[in-house]
Amino acid sequence: MHGPDGVALLPTGWRALERADWESARSAFTAALAAGGGAESRDGLAQVLWFLGRVPEAVALREQAFAEHARAGRCAEAARCAVWVAHQHELGGRSSAARGWLARAERVLADAPTCAGHGWVAVEHARQAATVAEQAAAAADALAVARTTGDPDLEVLAISLLGRAEVRAGRREPGLRLLEEAMAAATAGRAADVHTLGEAYCNLVLGCSGAGEWTRAAEWCEHVESFARTRSIAPLFGACRTVHAELLIAGGRWVEAEAALQDALATHVRDLPELSAPTLASLAELRVQQGRLDEAERLLAGREEHPAVLRALALLRLADGRARQAVGLLERGLRAASDDAVATGGLLSPLVHARLAVGDVAGAGAAAGALAALAAATGIRLLTARAELADASVSLAAGRPGAAAEPARCALRDFTGLLMPFESAHARLALARAVAGDDRETAAEEAGTALAAFRRLGAARAADTAAAVLRGCGVPAARRARGGGELSAREEEVLALVARGLSNAGIARALVISEKTAGHHVSHILAKLGVRNRAEAAAHAVRRRSGTGQRPRT
């Protein structure tokens, strides 16, 4: 039974929840529950506890709310509770429990007329879908229900799920338009639920990153973070840090990406350790690119069979000389990718290089051809650039440097247009190798530029490869500065603020980054400049501005 006093307290709790005032919301919902607020009180309190990191308690409360709603015949409310519980189990890797709770949601709706609950069930079917086609169909069903019932949260989430499915299927433009529509509606206040906002944001960034639309994704990340700050919605500000890190890695902002991934791991360890696999995989891929293979190995240890780590593990095996294992892992991933064009493209690209590493030039050529066909069919620029670089790599391995030059130039153009400095440097290196026989001067210039880019990023193994190509052109690779290379553009910004005497907290406020990320930047700057403290770094910056300073001796 609902008590009138409990019901009267509910609006206070919901208002506090919407403005992310967790303590006030918890107090209001706890009081409402004690005063007979019933299932709605449990619903609200469950959401608050989830944001406070008390996930098992939140799940238990929503399970109780489901039973109470079902007994009272509130089918839509019961179904939404069951779907939420199912999603938590799915996130935690408990697929059987997730399917069981989805079945409970469907059962409670069996004889009910169409309501929002049917749409939330369709949303969960989209999340759990085995193929992209099934995800798209379920998301379209959810959207139809949302527009029939007028549920704004359901509509925003359904649009974002449908958009992501369209991108994954290779339908880039319609997918991106749907994702942008969802985010525009969400940040304009169409959706009130913070969970919905966070998931729509993640779907947008995943869709954009899969299509290589880094600039578009970065624009929305800034918009969402501004939206979150002005409303003090900390969980939305920190939502999908792993996903956001993908943008930072692609854009060459590896220090910030590392900080974002470490933040995400700390959150997972505290709240949802089952969710750590994708974060560990992203960090392991970054470690491979940095040449820190032992650390990558430790990150992936014990998770070899988790789908999220398969690509990272394959890249690690390729880097540590076990290319045959890399081929096997990537081929297994391709069999599981089904109709997911984005996932397929992400696996075909390293497969080309893995097959080349085992001497299978014909197999590498077949993989490169499949990648080129996929790029042509989808119009995804990232796949096109990867296919061009794969074509150049195969031609070089086959002893046809003349045939490698043009695809290498195209890959360089496209990766540069996508603002991907690591991949652009690899394309430069392929171009250097392609023209070295006919134009050693151009080859040396391209290899030198690639070497500088790898050093700026901290990509040690790639830098060693570039240095070897440069030596092959008759040019000795200059030794690195004591700490490891030139400052990135972001580090130059931070150095200027250090020179003005700002603390890490002040730098964080000025650049709208976390204080922890600011600290990472300062540490890297000190190491790269070979100075001992902030005062020496500031003095170095002043000397550079005056034109009298020299870089530290090596």
Side-chain angles (χ1 to χ4, degrees), residues 14-22 47 50-51 153 183 186-199 201 221 223-241:
W14 292 119
R15 285 194 296 270
L17 186 62
E18 286 185 17
R19 66 175 183 269
D21 182 352
W22 313 126
Q47 292 190 53
W50 188 90
F51 283 117
D153 286 306
M183 284 310 306
T187 53
R190 176 82 174 143
D193 187 281
V194 181
H195 285 276
T196 299
L197 292 169
E199 190 169 350
Y201 168 53
C221 285
H223 188 78
V224 168
E225 289 181 2
S226 173
F227 175 85
R229 278 193 301 273
T230 57
R231 291 160 177 80
S232 301
I233 306 176
L236 181 56
F237 182 78
C240 295
R241 296 298 288 163

Side-chain angles (χ1 to χ4, degrees), residues 80 83 115-127 132-167 174-183 185-186 190-191 193 195-201 203-204:
R80 185 164 185 178
V83 163
C115 64
H118 290 89
W120 289 105
V121 166
V123 159
E124 190 58 22
H125 275 295
R127 290 166 172 155
V132 177
E134 290 172 3
Q135 183 183 57
D141 289 344
L143 181 56
V145 173
R147 288 175 171 165
T148 298
T149 60
D151 186 317
D153 286 306
L154 176 59
E155 182 180 21
V156 166
L157 189 50
I159 292 172
S160 77
L161 283 167
L162 183 56
R164 186 180 169 200
E166 289 289 295
V167 172
L176 290 172
R177 283 197 298 273
L178 286 165
L179 288 165
E180 290 183 327
E181 179 187 350
M183 284 310 306
R190 176 82 174 143
D193 187 281
H195 285 276
T196 299
L197 292 169
E199 190 169 350
Y201 168 53
N203 283 330
L204 173 90

